[in-house]
């Protein structure tokens, strides 16, 4: 049984380790490789180590404000592959069956991105049009229109997280999400890499993909409020429905710079997480992680530790 991506991976900053919760397991990434550890139905932990699929091999795409969007895409690709693999191991106990091919991966990626854009770009825009029709908002050139758009976007995001948290399978993923964060904290702080060594650390982490999504929402609200009205002064279709379609298209295109800027913000916030300003910036994302992470048990910490070791341990040079 296949699962769609529920969580973005912990975006790697410094140090280079990031991760993602999967079905009955955890995926960890360190630089050019990732490791997926999954608890099999029989109780054993299966570890799979593979190269990290990258879209940023070119030096130009590693530069600040250019790397954010391709890193987001490669994160989605690797995350979907890890989720598909874990579903096969955790449910069917067959790690070889059902790996996504190129066409299936492309369709899954397109469907995931399409669903996200429909839910968080198109739907809030339609809601804001409803507020305008009800006389509670101005047109798309007015700030009030984009305030409604932003409020509904945030409400949708929080409502979606709360709704899926009631699903038993998702709650298990959230527990592994908490295990992933605790283990990464232990690794970063030089603590013993054992369930006892990781247990005392927070299940919240400033580099989490939940924080990244919040930054994307916040930055998109600000940019849409100022850039969309300005772009409409340069060109605006006369026909009503064509104009609305044009505006939605503009918003979709703006997601590229929005994600790029959000990545740089979360990278700085994660690197300097003890700084007062960065702590304030990270606070909303940490608050949201109260919903997207749950306290793990020691068996889940064991799985996260296995994934971490698979990602960071290198064969000694001969």
């Amino acid at each position: 049984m296949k699962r769609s991506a529920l969580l973005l991976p912990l975006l790697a900053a410094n140090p280079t380790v990031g991760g993602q919760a999967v079905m009955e397991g955890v995926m960890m990434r360190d630089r050019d490789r990732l490791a997926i550890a999954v608890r099999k139905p029989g109780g054993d932990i299966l570890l799979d180590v593979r190269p990290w699929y990258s879209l940023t091999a070119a030096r130009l795409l590693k530069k600040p404000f250019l790397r954010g969007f391709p890193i987001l895409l490669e994160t989605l690709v690797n995350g979907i592959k890890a989720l598909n693999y874990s579903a096969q191991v955790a449910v069917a106990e067959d790690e070889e069956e059902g790996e996504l091919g190129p066409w299936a991966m492309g369709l899954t990626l397109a469907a995931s991105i399409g669903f996200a854009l429909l839910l968080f770009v198109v739907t809030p825009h339609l809601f804001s049009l409803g507020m305008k029709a009800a006389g509670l908002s101005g047109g798309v050139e007015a700030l009030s229109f984009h305030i409604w758009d932003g409020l509904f976007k945030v409400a949708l995001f929080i409502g979606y997280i709360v709704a899926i948290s009631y699903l038993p399978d998702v709650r298990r993923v959230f527990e592994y999400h908490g295990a992933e964060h605790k283990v990464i904290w232990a690794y970063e702080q030089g603590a013993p890499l054992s369930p006892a060594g990781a247990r005392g650390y927070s299940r919240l982490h400033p580099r989490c993909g939940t924080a990244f999504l919040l930054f994307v929402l916040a930055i998109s609200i600000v940019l849409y409020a100022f850039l969309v009205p300005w772009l409409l002064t340069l060109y605006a279709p006369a026909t009503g429905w064509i104009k609305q379609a044009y505006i939605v298209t503009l918003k979709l295109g703006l997601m590229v710079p929005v994600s790029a800027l959000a990545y740089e913000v979360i990278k700085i916030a994660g690197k300097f997480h003890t700084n007062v300003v960065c702590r304030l910036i990270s606070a909303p994302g940490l608050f949201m992680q109260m919903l997207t992470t749950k306290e793990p048990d020691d068996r889940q910490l064991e799985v996260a530790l296995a994934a971490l070791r698979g990602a960071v341990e290198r064969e000694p040079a001969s």
Side-chain angles (χ1 to χ4, degrees), residues 138-153:
V140 290
E141 296 84 1
L143 181 61
S144 59
F145 183 94
H146 299 284
I147 291 175
W148 279 115
D149 183 277
L151 289 173
F152 192 62
K153 191 178 300 181

Side-chain angles (χ1 to χ4, degrees), residues 36 46 48 50 81-89 95 99:
I36 310 165
L46 183 67
D48 183 73
R50 57 180 70 176
K81 285 183 175 181
L83 279 163
N84 179 70
Y85 173 82
S86 69
Q88 294 301 321
V89 174
E95 65 270 23
E99 287 283 336

Side-chain angles (χ1 to χ4, degrees), residues 55-113:
L55 294 172
T56 55
R59 182 174 298 180
L60 179 64
L61 294 179
K62 296 180 183 292
K63 294 188 177 297
F65 300 102
L66 293 179
R67 59 192 172 185
F69 188 67
I71 285 176
L72 174 61
L73 291 180
E74 72 180 34
T75 296
L76 286 171
V77 169
N78 287 288
I80 291 171
K81 285 183 175 181
L83 279 163
N84 179 70
Y85 173 82
S86 69
Q88 294 301 321
V89 174
V91 177
E93 201 169 1
D94 184 356
E95 65 270 23
E96 299 297 327
E97 181 184 350
E99 287 283 336
L100 292 177
W103 280 103
M105 172 55 64
L107 290 173
T108 303
L109 182 62
S112 300
I113 295 174

Side-chain angles (χ1 to χ4, degrees), residues 28 78 115 122 129 135 160 178 212 218:
M28 291 283 190
N78 287 288
F115 174 75
V122 178
L129 288 175
Y160 173 75
F212 175 75

